[in-house]
Amino acid sequence: MSNESVNTGVKVSTPPVKTKIGYKVFYLKDDKLYPPMVKNPGGSDTPMGVWLEASAGDIASYTKTGRPQIEKGGPGTHCAKGELAYRPGWHLGEVPIAKQFEKVNPLNGKKELFPREFVWAECEYACDVDYQEEAMKNGYTEKGSFRHAYAGLQKVPENGCYHYRTNPDPNTEEWIITGKIKVNRILSGNEVDEICRKAGRNPQKREKTFEELENLLVKNLSRDVSDYKPARNKEEADLFKLKREIDMENRIEHELKKNKIFHDKAFLSFLKHKYGSTTIYAMANHYSEIVKDNFVRTKERER
């Protein structure tokens, strides 16, 4: 494929000769992939299965020491607006770990959860040209001292790559910065964990998905429901149904108030959108029947 700009505004290029496998974080929205911090041209999504050239982007400002910065955030990303050091290129990792994106765990107050809206993708990246020596030279001052923040390139590493650790702490992950990538596929959580373990690293804890949170909510709502028994006639069925719904409303309100893991506006919005109501009643009607059916099935298995 010749060099061209596709409809998304992301440049597609000819494949490199030498490639390696790396892992990139993406923000998943409406089944499309977006960079989490610095947007693609025009805020477009990132296509899969084609070679993509990195865009250098426009310099937004300069630091007090004259270092260029690029704007982060905006359409097609998942972060607040701000500025980052200017190191153009696709940023990947050799291991799918990215602690800089971790969110606070509501159960213990620790910043340790990989966001539910982020995914890891297996990518191929270009390594025809090794820019490592050039990148490291930029970190040395005229007096010979090394400044970690100055290392790296202020240009796209065309047809090649180099490694850079955004945090000078040697215990943090190094990033691969490359001029070209091809997104092969999205990895499952189990695949991510296995890759980390094979590399001798502990996998990151993940924020529960909305579906996992809902399953946990239903499990909690299913406790102590010995009166959720089948009715003998229609009159009794109507009475039991009403009692279940009133009970379930109280159960839901109690769970949402007492359990910090459910204190998530996005999760509540997910539930309300799913059941087409802004009230607890619609959820109570639905969950009371689920809990009743689960209770009846459990009792039948115990016989």
Side-chain angles (χ1 to χ4, degrees):
M1 182 182 293
S2 60
N3 290 359
E4 61 178 336
S5 293
V6 297
N7 292 334
T8 60
V10 180
K11 290 182 178 179
V12 179
S13 69
T14 52
V17 176
K18 297 179 182 178
T19 67
K20 292 182 179 179
I21 294 293
Y23 305 99
K24 181 165 178 60
V25 176
F26 283 101
Y27 167 42
L28 181 65
K29 181 180 179 181
D30 299 328
D31 296 324
K32 294 181 179 180
L33 301 176
Y34 296 90
M37 300 187 77
V38 180
K39 65 184 179 181
N40 285 333
S44 61
D45 62 284
T46 306
M48 297 178 64
V50 292
W51 280 97
L52 307 169
E53 288 185 357
S55 173
D58 297 325
I59 295 174
S61 66
Y62 291 87
T63 66
K64 292 179 180 179
T65 58
R67 306 289 293 173
Q69 294 183 304
I70 191 169
E71 183 181 5
K72 71 170 183 175
T77 68
H78 192 265
C79 67
K81 285 193 173 183
E83 293 178 343
L84 294 169
Y86 188 72
R87 294 187 188 88
W90 293 104
H91 292 210
L92 304 89
E94 290 188 340
V95 180
I97 293 177
K99 292 186 176 295
Q100 69 270 34
F101 297 123
E102 288 180 338
K103 298 171 70 173
V104 173
N105 186 339
L107 298 181
N108 58 22
K110 294 181 180 179
K111 198 172 183 181
E112 62 179 10
L113 298 179
F114 189 73
R116 67 170 65 89
E117 62 271 24
F118 284 4
V119 295
W120 283 100
E122 177 195 270
C123 302
E124 290 179 69
Y125 66 92
C127 52
D128 288 343
V129 182
D130 185 353
Y131 287 88
Q132 195 65 45
E133 184 177 351
E134 180 181 352
M136 293 302 290
K137 280 183 178 178
N138 290 336
Y140 287 93
T141 67
E142 293 180 357
K143 296 182 179 180
S145 61
F146 183 75
R147 293 186 183 182
H148 178 83
Y150 282 32
L153 302 180
Q154 294 178 10
K155 64 180 182 181
V156 173
E158 295 183 6
N159 298 313
C161 64
Y162 65 97
H163 287 69
Y164 181 78
R165 185 180 286 110
T166 56
N167 189 322
D169 182 353
N171 295 317
T172 57
E173 299 298 326
E174 273 193 340
W175 288 96
I176 302 158
I177 302 180
T178 182
K180 293 181 182 181
I181 65 167
K182 177 163 69 76
V183 183
N184 289 337
R185 63 192 184 92
I186 305 302
L187 299 173
S188 69
N190 289 337
E191 287 178 308
V192 170
D193 291 352
E194 182 62 21
I195 292 168
C196 291
R197 291 190 185 101
K198 284 184 177 180
R201 301 300 304 273
N202 292 325
Q204 287 179 277
K205 295 179 180 179
R206 284 187 290 272
E207 191 177 27
K208 289 185 180 297
T209 66
F210 292 148
E211 290 76 13
E212 288 173 332
L213 280 177
E214 186 176 12
N215 290 337
L216 179 60
L217 178 60
V218 171
K219 181 180 179 181
N220 291 355
L221 296 173
S222 302
R223 296 171 182 162
D224 304 321
V225 290
S226 57
D227 58 337
Y228 277 34
K229 54 190 175 183
R232 293 171 294 185
N233 53 56
K234 185 179 184 306
E235 183 178 336
E236 198 172 65
D238 291 341
L239 178 61
F240 286 178
K241 184 175 186 297
L242 179 60
K243 288 177 65 177
R244 285 196 302 269
E245 289 173 357
I246 294 173
D247 174 60
M248 189 55 64
E249 283 189 69
N250 293 331
R251 286 170 178 264
I252 293 174
E253 289 180 344
H254 178 69
E255 281 295 328
L256 296 182
K257 286 180 180 178
K258 78 158 190 176
N259 200 329
K260 290 183 179 180
I261 200 170
F262 301 130
H263 292 184
D264 188 318
K265 291 182 179 179
F267 173 57
L268 297 180
S269 177
F270 163 80
L271 291 180
K272 291 174 180 179
H273 177 76
K274 182 175 180 178
Y275 298 110
S277 174
T278 58
T279 67
I280 296 293
Y281 177 76
M283 286 184 273
N285 186 11
H286 175 78
Y287 289 140
S288 64
E289 292 305 303
I290 289 179
V291 171
K292 181 204 72 173
D293 293 341
N294 290 344
F295 175 74
V296 171
R297 283 195 294 268
T298 300
K299 287 299 179 183
E300 288 177 348
R301 287 196 298 267
E302 292 175 351
R303 290 175 185 171

Short mmCIF file of all heavy atoms in Angstrom, two decimals, residues 193-250:
data_model
loop_
_atom_site.label_atom_id
_atom_site.label_comp_id
_atom_site.label_asym_id
_atom_site.label_seq_id
_atom_site.Cartn_x
_atom_site.Cartn_y
_atom_site.Cartn_z
N ASP A 193 -2.58 -10.87 31.64
CA ASP A 193 -1.99 -11.38 32.88
C ASP A 193 -0.92 -12.43 32.60
O ASP A 193 0.14 -12.45 33.24
CB ASP A 193 -3.09 -12.00 33.75
CG ASP A 193 -4.05 -10.96 34.30
OD1 ASP A 193 -3.78 -9.75 34.13
OD2 ASP A 193 -5.07 -11.34 34.89
N GLU A 194 -1.16 -13.29 31.62
CA GLU A 194 -0.21 -14.36 31.29
C GLU A 194 1.08 -13.77 30.71
O GLU A 194 2.18 -14.23 31.05
CB GLU A 194 -0.85 -15.33 30.30
CG GLU A 194 0.04 -16.52 29.92
CD GLU A 194 0.37 -17.41 31.12
OE1 GLU A 194 -0.37 -17.37 32.13
OE2 GLU A 194 1.38 -18.14 31.04
N ILE A 195 0.96 -12.76 29.87
CA ILE A 195 2.15 -12.12 29.30
C ILE A 195 2.99 -11.48 30.40
O ILE A 195 4.22 -11.59 30.41
CB ILE A 195 1.74 -11.05 28.26
CG1 ILE A 195 1.11 -11.72 27.03
CG2 ILE A 195 2.95 -10.20 27.83
CD1 ILE A 195 0.43 -10.76 26.09
N CYS A 196 2.31 -10.84 31.36
CA CYS A 196 3.03 -10.21 32.48
C CYS A 196 3.75 -11.26 33.32
O CYS A 196 4.93 -11.08 33.68
CB CYS A 196 2.05 -9.42 33.35
SG CYS A 196 1.38 -7.94 32.57
N ARG A 197 3.07 -12.35 33.62
CA ARG A 197 3.68 -13.40 34.45
C ARG A 197 4.89 -14.03 33.76
O ARG A 197 5.91 -14.31 34.40
CB ARG A 197 2.64 -14.47 34.79
CG ARG A 197 1.54 -13.97 35.73
CD ARG A 197 0.68 -15.12 36.23
NE ARG A 197 -0.43 -14.62 37.01
CZ ARG A 197 -1.68 -14.49 36.57
NH1 ARG A 197 -1.96 -14.83 35.32
NH2 ARG A 197 -2.63 -14.03 37.35
N LYS A 198 4.78 -14.26 32.44
CA LYS A 198 5.91 -14.83 31.70
C LYS A 198 7.11 -13.89 31.70
O LYS A 198 8.25 -14.34 31.59
CB LYS A 198 5.48 -15.15 30.26
CG LYS A 198 4.61 -16.40 30.14
CD LYS A 198 4.31 -16.71 28.69
CE LYS A 198 3.51 -18.00 28.56
NZ LYS A 198 3.19 -18.32 27.15
N ALA A 199 6.84 -12.60 31.82
CA ALA A 199 7.92 -11.61 31.86
C ALA A 199 8.41 -11.39 33.29
O ALA A 199 9.26 -10.53 33.53
CB ALA A 199 7.44 -10.29 31.28
N GLY A 200 7.87 -12.16 34.24
CA GLY A 200 8.29 -12.03 35.63
C GLY A 200 7.70 -10.85 36.36
O GLY A 200 8.23 -10.42 37.39
N ARG A 201 6.58 -10.32 35.86
CA ARG A 201 5.94 -9.17 36.47
C ARG A 201 4.56 -9.54 36.99
O ARG A 201 3.86 -10.39 36.42
CB ARG A 201 5.79 -8.03 35.45
CG ARG A 201 7.09 -7.55 34.85
CD ARG A 201 8.05 -7.02 35.91
NE ARG A 201 7.44 -5.96 36.69
CZ ARG A 201 7.43 -4.68 36.37
NH1 ARG A 201 8.05 -4.29 35.26
NH2 ARG A 201 6.87 -3.77 37.13
N ASN A 202 4.16 -8.89 38.06
CA ASN A 202 2.81 -9.09 38.58
C ASN A 202 1.82 -8.30 37.74
O ASN A 202 2.03 -7.11 37.48
CB ASN A 202 2.72 -8.61 40.04
CG ASN A 202 3.51 -9.49 40.99
OD1 ASN A 202 3.60 -10.70 40.79
ND2 ASN A 202 4.08 -8.88 42.01
N PRO A 203 0.73 -8.93 37.28
CA PRO A 203 -0.26 -8.20 36.49
C PRO A 203 -0.90 -7.08 37.30
O PRO A 203 -0.99 -7.16 38.53
CB PRO A 203 -1.30 -9.28 36.14
CG PRO A 203 -0.59 -10.58 36.34
CD PRO A 203 0.39 -10.36 37.44
N GLN A 204 -1.35 -6.06 36.62
CA GLN A 204 -2.07 -4.99 37.30
C GLN A 204 -3.46 -5.46 37.70
O GLN A 204 -4.09 -6.26 37.00
CB GLN A 204 -2.22 -3.78 36.37
CG GLN A 204 -0.95 -2.99 36.16
CD GLN A 204 -1.15 -1.83 35.22
OE1 GLN A 204 -1.11 -1.99 34.01
NE2 GLN A 204 -1.38 -0.64 35.78
N LYS A 205 -3.93 -4.95 38.83
CA LYS A 205 -5.32 -5.17 39.19
C LYS A 205 -6.19 -4.35 38.25
O LYS A 205 -5.80 -3.26 37.84
CB LYS A 205 -5.58 -4.76 40.64
CG LYS A 205 -4.82 -5.60 41.65
CD LYS A 205 -5.12 -5.12 43.07
CE LYS A 205 -4.36 -5.95 44.09
NZ LYS A 205 -4.62 -5.48 45.47
N ARG A 206 -7.36 -4.88 37.92
CA ARG A 206 -8.23 -4.18 36.98
C ARG A 206 -9.53 -3.72 37.65
O ARG A 206 -10.09 -4.43 38.49
CB ARG A 206 -8.56 -5.08 35.78
CG ARG A 206 -7.44 -5.22 34.78
CD ARG A 206 -7.91 -5.96 33.55
NE ARG A 206 -8.16 -7.36 33.86
CZ ARG A 206 -7.23 -8.31 33.80
NH1 ARG A 206 -5.99 -8.01 33.49
NH2 ARG A 206 -7.54 -9.56 34.09
N GLU A 207 -9.98 -2.57 37.23
CA GLU A 207 -11.28 -2.09 37.65
C GLU A 207 -12.35 -3.02 37.08
O GLU A 207 -12.27 -3.43 35.93
CB GLU A 207 -11.47 -0.66 37.13
CG GLU A 207 -12.66 0.06 37.70
CD GLU A 207 -12.74 1.49 37.20
OE1 GLU A 207 -12.24 1.77 36.10
OE2 GLU A 207 -13.31 2.33 37.92
N LYS A 208 -13.34 -3.35 37.89
CA LYS A 208 -14.39 -4.26 37.42
C LYS A 208 -15.18 -3.62 36.29
O LYS A 208 -15.45 -2.42 36.31
CB LYS A 208 -15.33 -4.63 38.57
CG LYS A 208 -14.71 -5.55 39.61
CD LYS A 208 -15.74 -5.98 40.65
CE LYS A 208 -15.12 -6.89 41.70
NZ LYS A 208 -14.63 -8.15 41.12
N THR A 209 -15.57 -4.42 35.31
CA THR A 209 -16.43 -3.93 34.24
C THR A 209 -17.83 -3.68 34.81
O THR A 209 -18.18 -4.16 35.89
CB THR A 209 -16.52 -4.95 33.10
OG1 THR A 209 -17.19 -6.13 33.57
CG2 THR A 209 -15.14 -5.32 32.57
N PHE A 210 -18.64 -2.95 34.05
CA PHE A 210 -20.01 -2.71 34.50
C PHE A 210 -20.77 -4.02 34.65
O PHE A 210 -21.58 -4.18 35.57
CB PHE A 210 -20.74 -1.80 33.51
CG PHE A 210 -20.22 -0.39 33.48
CD1 PHE A 210 -20.25 0.35 32.31
CD2 PHE A 210 -19.69 0.20 34.62
CE1 PHE A 210 -19.78 1.65 32.28
CE2 PHE A 210 -19.20 1.50 34.60
CZ PHE A 210 -19.25 2.23 33.42
N GLU A 211 -20.51 -4.97 33.75
CA GLU A 211 -21.19 -6.27 33.83
C GLU A 211 -20.76 -7.03 35.09
O GLU A 211 -21.60 -7.64 35.76
CB GLU A 211 -20.90 -7.10 32.58
CG GLU A 211 -21.55 -6.61 31.30
CD GLU A 211 -20.86 -5.40 30.70
OE1 GLU A 211 -19.72 -5.07 31.14
OE2 GLU A 211 -21.45 -4.75 29.81
N GLU A 212 -19.47 -6.96 35.42
CA GLU A 212 -18.98 -7.62 36.64
C GLU A 212 -19.57 -6.96 37.89
O GLU A 212 -19.93 -7.64 38.85
CB GLU A 212 -17.46 -7.57 36.68
CG GLU A 212 -16.79 -8.49 35.67
CD GLU A 212 -15.29 -8.30 35.61
OE1 GLU A 212 -14.81 -7.17 35.89
OE2 GLU A 212 -14.58 -9.26 35.28
N LEU A 213 -19.67 -5.62 37.86
CA LEU A 213 -20.28 -4.92 38.99
C LEU A 213 -21.75 -5.30 39.14
O LEU A 213 -22.24 -5.51 40.26
CB LEU A 213 -20.17 -3.41 38.79
CG LEU A 213 -18.83 -2.75 39.12
CD1 LEU A 213 -18.88 -1.27 38.80
CD2 LEU A 213 -18.47 -2.96 40.58
N GLU A 214 -22.44 -5.42 38.03
CA GLU A 214 -23.86 -5.78 38.10
C GLU A 214 -24.03 -7.20 38.64
O GLU A 214 -24.92 -7.48 39.45
CB GLU A 214 -24.53 -5.66 36.74
CG GLU A 214 -26.03 -5.88 36.81
CD GLU A 214 -26.74 -5.67 35.49
OE1 GLU A 214 -26.05 -5.57 34.44
OE2 GLU A 214 -27.98 -5.63 35.49
N ASN A 215 -23.16 -8.12 38.21
CA ASN A 215 -23.22 -9.50 38.72
C ASN A 215 -22.97 -9.53 40.22
O ASN A 215 -23.62 -10.29 40.95
CB ASN A 215 -22.21 -10.38 37.99
CG ASN A 215 -22.58 -10.64 36.55
OD1 ASN A 215 -23.74 -10.53 36.17
ND2 ASN A 215 -21.60 -10.97 35.73
N LEU A 216 -22.03 -8.70 40.69
CA LEU A 216 -21.75 -8.63 42.12
C LEU A 216 -22.94 -8.05 42.87
O LEU A 216 -23.29 -8.52 43.97
CB LEU A 216 -20.51 -7.77 42.36
CG LEU A 216 -20.09 -7.57 43.82
CD1 LEU A 216 -19.79 -8.91 44.50
CD2 LEU A 216 -18.89 -6.64 43.91
N LEU A 217 -23.57 -7.04 42.29
CA LEU A 217 -24.75 -6.45 42.90
C LEU A 217 -25.86 -7.48 43.05
O LEU A 217 -26.49 -7.59 44.12
CB LEU A 217 -25.24 -5.25 42.06
CG LEU A 217 -26.52 -4.55 42.54
CD1 LEU A 217 -26.32 -3.98 43.95
CD2 LEU A 217 -26.91 -3.44 41.57
N VAL A 218 -26.12 -8.24 42.00
CA VAL A 218 -27.16 -9.28 42.04
C VAL A 218 -26.82 -10.33 43.10
O VAL A 218 -27.70 -10.79 43.84
CB VAL A 218 -27.33 -9.94 40.66
CG1 VAL A 218 -28.26 -11.16 40.75
CG2 VAL A 218 -27.89 -8.94 39.66
N LYS A 219 -25.54 -10.68 43.20
CA LYS A 219 -25.12 -11.66 44.20
C LYS A 219 -25.41 -11.14 45.61
O LYS A 219 -25.92 -11.88 46.48
CB LYS A 219 -23.63 -11.95 44.04
CG LYS A 219 -23.09 -12.97 45.03
CD LYS A 219 -21.60 -13.22 44.81
CE LYS A 219 -21.05 -14.22 45.82
NZ LYS A 219 -19.60 -14.45 45.61
N ASN A 220 -25.10 -9.87 45.85
CA ASN A 220 -25.37 -9.27 47.16
C ASN A 220 -26.86 -9.17 47.44
O ASN A 220 -27.31 -9.35 48.57
CB ASN A 220 -24.73 -7.89 47.25
CG ASN A 220 -23.22 -7.94 47.29
OD1 ASN A 220 -22.63 -9.02 47.35
ND2 ASN A 220 -22.58 -6.78 47.27
N LEU A 221 -27.64 -8.87 46.39
CA LEU A 221 -29.08 -8.74 46.56
C LEU A 221 -29.75 -10.08 46.81
O LEU A 221 -30.90 -10.14 47.27
CB LEU A 221 -29.70 -8.09 45.31
CG LEU A 221 -29.29 -6.66 45.00
CD1 LEU A 221 -29.85 -6.22 43.65
CD2 LEU A 221 -29.75 -5.70 46.10
N SER A 222 -29.05 -11.17 46.49
CA SER A 222 -29.63 -12.51 46.59
C SER A 222 -29.50 -13.11 47.99
O SER A 222 -29.97 -14.22 48.23
CB SER A 222 -28.97 -13.45 45.58
OG SER A 222 -29.12 -12.97 44.27
N ARG A 223 -28.87 -12.40 48.91
CA ARG A 223 -28.70 -12.94 50.26
C ARG A 223 -30.01 -12.85 51.05
O ARG A 223 -30.74 -11.87 50.95
CB ARG A 223 -27.62 -12.15 51.00
CG ARG A 223 -26.24 -12.30 50.37
CD ARG A 223 -25.26 -11.34 51.01
NE ARG A 223 -23.94 -11.43 50.39
CZ ARG A 223 -23.01 -10.50 50.49
NH1 ARG A 223 -23.23 -9.41 51.18
NH2 ARG A 223 -21.84 -10.67 49.90
N ASP A 224 -30.28 -13.91 51.85
CA ASP A 224 -31.42 -13.92 52.77
C ASP A 224 -32.74 -13.61 52.07
O ASP A 224 -33.42 -12.63 52.37
CB ASP A 224 -31.19 -12.91 53.91
CG ASP A 224 -29.89 -13.17 54.64
OD1 ASP A 224 -29.56 -14.35 54.84
OD2 ASP A 224 -29.22 -12.19 55.00
N VAL A 225 -33.10 -14.45 51.12
CA VAL A 225 -34.37 -14.25 50.40
C VAL A 225 -35.25 -15.50 50.55
O VAL A 225 -35.86 -15.97 49.60
CB VAL A 225 -34.13 -13.94 48.91
CG1 VAL A 225 -33.53 -12.57 48.74
CG2 VAL A 225 -33.23 -14.99 48.27
N SER A 226 -35.31 -16.02 51.76
CA SER A 226 -36.07 -17.26 52.00
C SER A 226 -37.56 -17.11 51.73
O SER A 226 -38.26 -18.10 51.53
CB SER A 226 -35.86 -17.72 53.44
OG SER A 226 -36.23 -16.71 54.35
N ASP A 227 -38.06 -15.87 51.69
CA ASP A 227 -39.49 -15.67 51.42
C ASP A 227 -39.78 -15.49 49.93
O ASP A 227 -40.92 -15.24 49.55
CB ASP A 227 -40.01 -14.45 52.19
CG ASP A 227 -39.25 -13.18 51.83
OD1 ASP A 227 -38.10 -13.30 51.38
OD2 ASP A 227 -39.80 -12.09 52.03
N TYR A 228 -38.74 -15.62 49.09
CA TYR A 228 -38.95 -15.49 47.65
C TYR A 228 -39.43 -16.83 47.08
O TYR A 228 -38.83 -17.40 46.19
CB TYR A 228 -37.66 -15.05 46.95
CG TYR A 228 -37.42 -13.55 47.00
CD1 TYR A 228 -37.82 -12.79 48.10
CD2 TYR A 228 -36.80 -12.89 45.95
CE1 TYR A 228 -37.60 -11.43 48.15
CE2 TYR A 228 -36.57 -11.53 45.99
CZ TYR A 228 -36.96 -10.81 47.09
OH TYR A 228 -36.75 -9.45 47.14
N LYS A 229 -40.52 -17.32 47.61
CA LYS A 229 -41.01 -18.63 47.24
C LYS A 229 -42.04 -18.54 46.13
O LYS A 229 -42.66 -17.49 45.93
CB LYS A 229 -41.62 -19.31 48.46
CG LYS A 229 -42.70 -18.47 49.14
CD LYS A 229 -43.09 -19.06 50.47
CE LYS A 229 -44.09 -18.14 51.19
NZ LYS A 229 -44.45 -18.65 52.53
N PRO A 230 -42.26 -19.63 45.38
CA PRO A 230 -43.29 -19.63 44.34
C PRO A 230 -44.68 -19.57 44.96
O PRO A 230 -44.92 -20.09 46.05
CB PRO A 230 -43.05 -20.95 43.60
CG PRO A 230 -42.33 -21.80 44.58
CD PRO A 230 -41.51 -20.90 45.42
N ALA A 231 -45.62 -18.95 44.25
CA ALA A 231 -46.99 -18.79 44.74
C ALA A 231 -47.86 -19.98 44.33
O ALA A 231 -47.58 -20.68 43.36
CB ALA A 231 -47.59 -17.50 44.20
N ARG A 232 -48.95 -20.18 45.11
CA ARG A 232 -49.87 -21.29 44.82
C ARG A 232 -51.01 -20.88 43.90
O ARG A 232 -51.65 -21.71 43.27
CB ARG A 232 -50.44 -21.83 46.14
CG ARG A 232 -49.41 -22.52 47.03
CD ARG A 232 -49.95 -22.84 48.38
NE ARG A 232 -50.26 -21.61 49.13
CZ ARG A 232 -50.66 -21.60 50.40
NH1 ARG A 232 -50.85 -22.73 51.07
NH2 ARG A 232 -50.90 -20.44 51.01
N ASN A 233 -51.29 -19.55 43.80
CA ASN A 233 -52.36 -19.07 42.93
C ASN A 233 -52.04 -17.65 42.50
O ASN A 233 -51.07 -17.03 42.98
CB ASN A 233 -53.71 -19.14 43.65
CG ASN A 233 -53.68 -18.43 45.00
OD1 ASN A 233 -53.33 -17.25 45.08
ND2 ASN A 233 -54.02 -19.17 46.06
N LYS A 234 -52.89 -17.09 41.59
CA LYS A 234 -52.61 -15.77 41.04
C LYS A 234 -52.66 -14.68 42.11
O LYS A 234 -51.83 -13.76 42.12
CB LYS A 234 -53.61 -15.43 39.94
CG LYS A 234 -53.31 -14.11 39.23
CD LYS A 234 -54.29 -13.81 38.14
CE LYS A 234 -53.91 -12.53 37.39
NZ LYS A 234 -53.73 -11.37 38.28
N GLU A 235 -53.60 -14.75 43.01
CA GLU A 235 -53.72 -13.74 44.05
C GLU A 235 -52.46 -13.71 44.93
O GLU A 235 -51.93 -12.65 45.24
CB GLU A 235 -54.95 -14.02 44.92
CG GLU A 235 -55.18 -12.97 45.99
CD GLU A 235 -56.43 -13.25 46.81
OE1 GLU A 235 -57.35 -13.92 46.30
OE2 GLU A 235 -56.48 -12.77 47.96
N GLU A 236 -52.00 -14.90 45.27
CA GLU A 236 -50.78 -14.99 46.08
C GLU A 236 -49.57 -14.54 45.27
O GLU A 236 -48.66 -13.91 45.81
CB GLU A 236 -50.59 -16.45 46.55
CG GLU A 236 -49.63 -16.58 47.72
CD GLU A 236 -49.61 -17.97 48.30
OE1 GLU A 236 -49.19 -18.91 47.57
OE2 GLU A 236 -50.01 -18.13 49.47
N ALA A 237 -49.56 -14.85 43.97
CA ALA A 237 -48.44 -14.44 43.10
C ALA A 237 -48.34 -12.93 43.03
O ALA A 237 -47.24 -12.36 43.09
CB ALA A 237 -48.63 -15.03 41.72
N ASP A 238 -49.50 -12.26 42.89
CA ASP A 238 -49.50 -10.79 42.82
C ASP A 238 -49.00 -10.19 44.13
O ASP A 238 -48.23 -9.20 44.13
CB ASP A 238 -50.89 -10.27 42.51
CG ASP A 238 -51.33 -10.60 41.09
OD1 ASP A 238 -50.45 -10.90 40.26
OD2 ASP A 238 -52.55 -10.58 40.82
N LEU A 239 -49.42 -10.77 45.25
CA LEU A 239 -49.00 -10.27 46.55
C LEU A 239 -47.50 -10.48 46.77
O LEU A 239 -46.79 -9.56 47.21
CB LEU A 239 -49.78 -10.98 47.66
CG LEU A 239 -49.41 -10.59 49.11
CD1 LEU A 239 -49.67 -9.11 49.34
CD2 LEU A 239 -50.18 -11.45 50.11
N PHE A 240 -47.01 -11.66 46.43
CA PHE A 240 -45.58 -11.96 46.58
C PHE A 240 -44.74 -11.05 45.69
O PHE A 240 -43.67 -10.58 46.10
CB PHE A 240 -45.30 -13.42 46.24
CG PHE A 240 -45.74 -14.40 47.29
CD1 PHE A 240 -45.59 -15.76 47.09
CD2 PHE A 240 -46.31 -13.97 48.48
CE1 PHE A 240 -45.98 -16.68 48.05
CE2 PHE A 240 -46.70 -14.87 49.45
CZ PHE A 240 -46.55 -16.23 49.23
N LYS A 241 -45.21 -10.81 44.48
CA LYS A 241 -44.48 -9.95 43.54
C LYS A 241 -44.35 -8.54 44.10
O LYS A 241 -43.27 -7.92 44.05
CB LYS A 241 -45.19 -9.92 42.19
CG LYS A 241 -44.45 -9.13 41.10
CD LYS A 241 -45.17 -9.27 39.77
CE LYS A 241 -44.36 -8.61 38.65
NZ LYS A 241 -44.20 -7.16 38.83
N LEU A 242 -45.43 -8.00 44.64
CA LEU A 242 -45.41 -6.66 45.21
C LEU A 242 -44.44 -6.59 46.39
O LEU A 242 -43.66 -5.65 46.51
CB LEU A 242 -46.82 -6.25 45.65
CG LEU A 242 -46.95 -4.86 46.30
CD1 LEU A 242 -46.50 -3.78 45.32
CD2 LEU A 242 -48.39 -4.61 46.76
N LYS A 243 -44.50 -7.62 47.27
CA LYS A 243 -43.62 -7.65 48.43
C LYS A 243 -42.14 -7.75 47.99
O LYS A 243 -41.28 -7.11 48.58
CB LYS A 243 -43.98 -8.84 49.32
CG LYS A 243 -45.29 -8.68 50.07
CD LYS A 243 -45.63 -9.93 50.87
CE LYS A 243 -44.62 -10.18 51.98
NZ LYS A 243 -44.99 -11.36 52.80
N ARG A 244 -41.89 -8.54 46.94
CA ARG A 244 -40.52 -8.69 46.45
C ARG A 244 -39.98 -7.37 45.91
O ARG A 244 -38.83 -7.00 46.14
CB ARG A 244 -40.45 -9.76 45.36
CG ARG A 244 -40.53 -11.19 45.86
CD ARG A 244 -40.06 -12.17 44.80
NE ARG A 244 -40.83 -12.07 43.57
CZ ARG A 244 -41.93 -12.78 43.32
NH1 ARG A 244 -42.40 -13.63 44.21
NH2 ARG A 244 -42.55 -12.65 42.16
N GLU A 245 -40.82 -6.65 45.17
CA GLU A 245 -40.38 -5.40 44.57
C GLU A 245 -40.10 -4.34 45.63
O GLU A 245 -39.11 -3.59 45.53
CB GLU A 245 -41.42 -4.90 43.57
CG GLU A 245 -41.47 -5.76 42.31
CD GLU A 245 -42.61 -5.38 41.38
OE1 GLU A 245 -43.40 -4.47 41.77
OE2 GLU A 245 -42.72 -5.97 40.29
N ILE A 246 -40.94 -4.27 46.65
CA ILE A 246 -40.71 -3.32 47.75
C ILE A 246 -39.43 -3.69 48.49
O ILE A 246 -38.59 -2.83 48.79
CB ILE A 246 -41.91 -3.31 48.72
CG1 ILE A 246 -43.16 -2.75 48.02
CG2 ILE A 246 -41.58 -2.48 49.97
CD1 ILE A 246 -44.42 -2.85 48.83
N ASP A 247 -39.27 -4.98 48.75
CA ASP A 247 -38.07 -5.46 49.42
C ASP A 247 -36.83 -5.17 48.59
O ASP A 247 -35.79 -4.74 49.10
CB ASP A 247 -38.19 -6.97 49.69
CG ASP A 247 -36.91 -7.56 50.25
OD1 ASP A 247 -36.47 -7.13 51.33
OD2 ASP A 247 -36.35 -8.47 49.60
N MET A 248 -36.94 -5.39 47.28
CA MET A 248 -35.79 -5.20 46.40
C MET A 248 -35.39 -3.73 46.30
O MET A 248 -34.20 -3.40 46.22
CB MET A 248 -36.07 -5.79 45.02
CG MET A 248 -34.86 -5.83 44.10
SD MET A 248 -33.43 -6.72 44.82
CE MET A 248 -34.12 -8.38 44.96
N GLU A 249 -36.35 -2.83 46.28
CA GLU A 249 -36.03 -1.41 46.27
C GLU A 249 -35.17 -1.06 47.48
O GLU A 249 -34.16 -0.34 47.37
CB GLU A 249 -37.31 -0.57 46.28
CG GLU A 249 -38.01 -0.49 44.93
CD GLU A 249 -39.13 0.52 44.95
OE1 GLU A 249 -38.83 1.74 45.03
OE2 GLU A 249 -40.30 0.13 44.89
N ASN A 250 -35.58 -1.56 48.64
CA ASN A 250 -34.82 -1.29 49.87
C ASN A 250 -33.43 -1.92 49.80
O ASN A 250 -32.44 -1.31 50.24
CB ASN A 250 -35.58 -1.83 51.08
CG ASN A 250 -36.87 -1.09 51.34
OD1 ASN A 250 -36.98 0.10 51.02
ND2 ASN A 250 -37.86 -1.76 51.90
#
